[in-house]
Amino acid sequence: MKIKGLLSILLIMAVSKYSLAESIIRATILHTEDNKVEYNYIEPVVYNNVFSSIKLVDNQLEFRVDNIDPIKFSLYFNDYILDFFVLPNDTLSFTCDAKDMRRSLTIHSSHHPDQVYLTDLSLMESERYLAMAPYKVKNVGWGNFPNGFTDSLDKVVSTKQKVYRKQHQDNPALSRAFHRQFVDTTYRDVHNKMFLFSLNGSNAGGMRIKLADQSLVPTEKDVERAIASVKFENPKYILNEDYMQFLYRYDVVAYNKWFTKKGFKTQAIEYAKHHADFIKEHFKNDTIRYALMAYINGYNYNSSPDEYSYMGDKTMAAYPAGRYNGKIKGKKLSISALQAGSMAPEFSLTDINGKKVSLSDFRGKVVYLDFWASWCLPCKMESVAVKEIKPQYDQKDIVFLYVTKDNNDSVWRDGVTKQKIEGIHLFGGEHEIFDQYQVFGVPKYVLIDKQGKIVSAEAPRPSNKEQLLLLLDKLIKD
């Protein structure tokens, strides 16, 4: 084996000096609303996106995270965002008072300058939400803001953050690994250009997206020049989210062209089968190949469990000593209950009339399970699309079952009324159903057959009318 190849494989097995270990985060937080905080972190490379909430006990909380690599750990409470730098096998502790955050915040951790960098930026971001708070409707993500208010606010906060980043771009107190992962913006411009180019003209809920300011949209030539300006395969940067997003977006475009040129079928598993072959053919560096396959798995985990299982197996088979294989296996096990043919997880929730409703009540009927929220714009678009589908199934053995992610009962009821959504409506709130069905965002659709078995944990949206009708028609006949 060539020395270069050997080094690449060693880098796969040990991208950083840290091994799998448990990190601990302890905090004392005074004056939180509802004595609760939400938290989020994304593990790099495997794109493991964790979002949940936790109750404080006597104003205290403790998290344990089995992160392989350093992560940005975000806490949300009282319109504040606090970002922390969490190393593997490390202990971070902090105290604060939500009524006087800046003066009360005290942090104890290793790599303190790195910690301060993320926390300072997040407190600047908090200024945006604190300013918006007086205009927001309680328990809803939107509000009645004065004309031009959010635009001017975004400009102020973004400028402040930009100045701060520039001041610390060459800060010698920041560790080299932290700088590369969180400070270095080498790939941000090219990633942003690729994102805007792909977003403009794309479809969402059956509607074509067109950015209001078309001057912001780069041309195809602009994107090509941006890609050519950076080092394409850069294994040292796989922990940098801008780099992995750039690599992912490039891969999507290039693979779709290759896939179409080969004349392959468009089914999901067929698409996944050939993806690994494309990556092996198109990319030269083993670390990049492995990292990209793992990253794609992370995206598929949220959108296609079947693809995740297949691609995960292909990834681990190609790189049996890969350092992220344990994470891939763990996530694969967590979605096994939602694979096609498995019994759908049972649940009981309260409907809009105050009656308890269980999934088993609909045995013998096809269930189209719709997870949504009143504040979700794509959900509203899909609620329009589904109105064209429902009349075709009147008097048929199918139930349109809606579960809201709203936490406020009156806001939920108001949303159902205003949007004129017909069907059986259940109040989800903070019920475990969102964990049972791996609902990381809304809208999400699950299709369940007459025997109560999962047909698809990522069913077609109503706006994908043709594919959805084919599935529903088949299930009704079975």
Side-chain angles (χ1 to χ4, degrees):
M1 180 183 291
K2 294 181 180 179
I3 296 295
K4 187 176 180 181
L6 177 60
L7 289 174
S8 291
I9 291 173
L10 289 174
L11 190 56
I12 292 168
M13 298 170 67
V15 171
S16 72
K17 65 183 179 180
Y18 307 108
S19 58
L20 179 61
E22 189 175 61
S23 304
I24 301 172
I25 301 150
R26 296 191 179 101
T28 300
I29 308 175
L30 303 179
H31 300 113
T32 59
E33 294 175 358
D34 303 321
N35 208 35
K36 182 183 76 172
V37 299
E38 294 179 325
Y39 64 91
N40 169 244
Y41 63 91
I42 300 176
E43 292 184 86
V45 182
V46 288
Y47 199 76
N48 181 28
N49 192 349
V50 178
F51 190 92
S52 191
S53 61
I54 188 171
K55 286 280 188 181
L56 278 70
V57 178
D58 297 327
N59 298 317
Q60 296 182 328
L61 56 82
E62 179 174 304
F63 301 93
R64 293 178 182 269
V65 184
D66 62 339
N67 52 312
I68 297 175
D69 299 307
I71 59 172
K72 181 175 76 171
F73 188 94
S74 303
L75 282 171
Y76 309 91
F77 58 93
N78 294 48
D79 293 305
Y80 277 103
I81 301 174
L82 280 183
D83 289 341
F84 296 101
F85 178 53
V86 180
L87 290 162
N89 198 27
D90 195 17
T91 298
L92 160 72
S93 62
F94 71 94
T95 61
C96 65
D97 186 335
K99 288 187 175 181
D100 190 8
M101 184 66 73
R102 285 195 175 274
R103 288 196 292 183
S104 66
L105 181 61
T106 305
I107 306 170
H108 300 281
S109 73
S110 54
H111 296 266
H112 194 70
D114 299 342
Q115 194 68 259
V116 170
Y117 179 90
L118 282 184
T119 307
D120 281 352
L121 281 174
S122 64
L123 286 173
M124 292 178 202
E125 187 66 22
S126 299
E127 293 174 11
R128 183 196 314 271
Y129 298 101
L130 290 165
M132 292 166 64
Y135 304 99
K136 287 170 63 178
V137 179
K138 188 173 175 59
N139 296 311
V140 180
W142 47 264
N144 297 314
F145 303 111
N147 188 36
F149 174 77
T150 55
D151 288 340
S152 61
L153 184 60
D154 287 346
K155 187 175 181 179
V156 169
V157 174
S158 297
T159 300
K160 197 172 182 179
Q161 290 176 323
K162 187 176 181 179
V163 169
Y164 183 89
R165 288 192 179 99
K166 188 174 182 179
Q167 289 172 341
H168 290 79
Q169 185 65 37
D170 300 313
N171 185 349
L174 300 178
S175 67
R176 184 177 297 179
F178 176 85
H179 189 281
R180 186 184 297 131
Q181 185 173 353
F182 295 106
V183 183
D184 195 317
T185 58
T186 300
Y187 292 90
R188 184 163 298 170
D189 180 61
V190 60
H191 160 234
N192 287 340
K193 279 186 168 64
M194 294 171 76
F195 172 71
L196 289 171
F197 182 75
S198 62
L199 178 65
N200 191 59
S202 61
N203 286 300
M207 300 179 68
R208 187 169 292 277
I209 295 174
K210 185 177 181 180
L211 299 183
D213 187 351
Q214 286 291 296
S215 66
L216 297 174
V217 182
T219 65
E220 189 170 0
K221 287 291 184 184
D222 291 334
V223 174
E224 289 173 357
R225 281 193 291 267
I227 292 172
S229 70
V230 294
K231 185 177 179 180
F232 187 66
E233 295 192 34
N234 200 344
K236 289 184 179 180
Y237 275 74
I238 65 171
L239 300 186
N240 182 292
E241 182 61 16
D242 286 328
Y243 175 69
M244 290 307 296
Q245 281 282 321
F246 152 70
L247 204 61
Y248 173 78
R249 292 188 186 283
Y250 174 86
D251 170 78
V252 168
V253 174
Y255 179 51
N256 284 339
K257 290 180 180 177
W258 182 87
F259 190 87
T260 303
K261 188 176 180 180
K262 293 282 186 178
F264 295 130
K265 297 178 182 178
T266 56
Q267 286 91 339
I269 293 299
E270 196 71 18
Y271 190 80
K273 278 182 180 178
H274 298 289
H275 208 152
D277 296 331
F278 167 78
I279 290 171
K280 186 176 180 180
E281 177 184 316
H282 201 77
F283 297 90
K284 308 304 179 188
N285 183 281
D286 271 318
T287 300
I288 296 299
R289 288 171 174 168
Y290 178 63
L292 181 56
M293 291 172 76
Y295 197 78
I296 291 167
N297 281 338
Y299 268 84
N300 286 344
Y301 179 73
N302 293 340
S303 61
S304 176
D306 291 337
E307 281 188 65
Y308 181 87
S309 295
Y310 185 87
M311 190 66 164
D313 289 342
K314 292 281 283 187
T315 304
M316 292 185 287
Y319 299 97
R323 72 191 301 269
Y324 298 103
N325 287 2
K327 291 287 184 181
I328 294 171
K329 287 178 183 176
K331 291 174 76 175
K332 183 180 175 182
L333 285 173
S334 73
I335 62 173
S336 60
L338 295 178
Q339 288 186 326
S342 302
M343 290 299 297
E346 177 65 7
F347 58 84
S348 293
L349 294 167
T350 304
D351 73 6
I352 205 160
N353 299 311
K355 177 185 174 184
K356 276 288 181 184
V357 174
S358 300
L359 177 62
S360 55
D361 296 340
F362 306 106
R363 197 62 48 83
K365 295 185 178 181
V366 176
V367 176
Y368 187 56
L369 188 55
D370 181 337
F371 293 96
W372 72 293
S374 63
W375 41 261
C376 166
L377 181 58
C379 299
K380 292 178 182 178
M381 294 176 175
E382 296 296 342
S383 71
V384 173
V386 80
K387 290 173 184 176
E388 298 178 9
I389 293 174
K390 281 184 180 178
Q392 301 179 45
Y393 296 98
D394 284 345
Q395 311 303 317
K396 300 284 181 69
D397 289 332
I398 181 169
V399 174
F400 291 87
L401 195 58
Y402 297 87
V403 179
T404 182
K405 209 162 173 30
D406 286 297
N407 288 321
N408 183 285
D409 183 87
S410 60
V411 170
W412 162 55
R413 292 173 183 275
D414 188 51
V416 172
T417 302
K418 285 183 177 178
Q419 296 180 44
K420 299 179 181 178
I421 306 170
E422 296 179 358
I424 299 173
H425 289 274
L426 306 179
F427 186 72
E430 296 183 6
H431 192 272
E432 65 177 358
I433 187 172
F434 301 108
D435 292 326
Q436 290 176 300
Y437 284 86
Q438 302 286 304
V439 181
F440 301 104
V442 290
K444 177 186 170 82
Y445 302 89
V446 178
L447 198 52
I448 302 167
D449 68 16
K450 295 178 181 179
Q451 289 73 47
K453 294 180 180 180
I454 297 283
V455 175
S456 174
E458 294 293 339
R461 295 184 175 196
S463 56
N464 191 350
K465 185 177 178 180
E466 185 177 349
Q467 191 176 354
L468 180 57
L469 291 179
L470 283 172
L471 275 172
L472 293 178
D473 289 341
K474 183 180 183 300
L475 290 170
I476 289 171
K477 291 175 183 177
D478 289 347

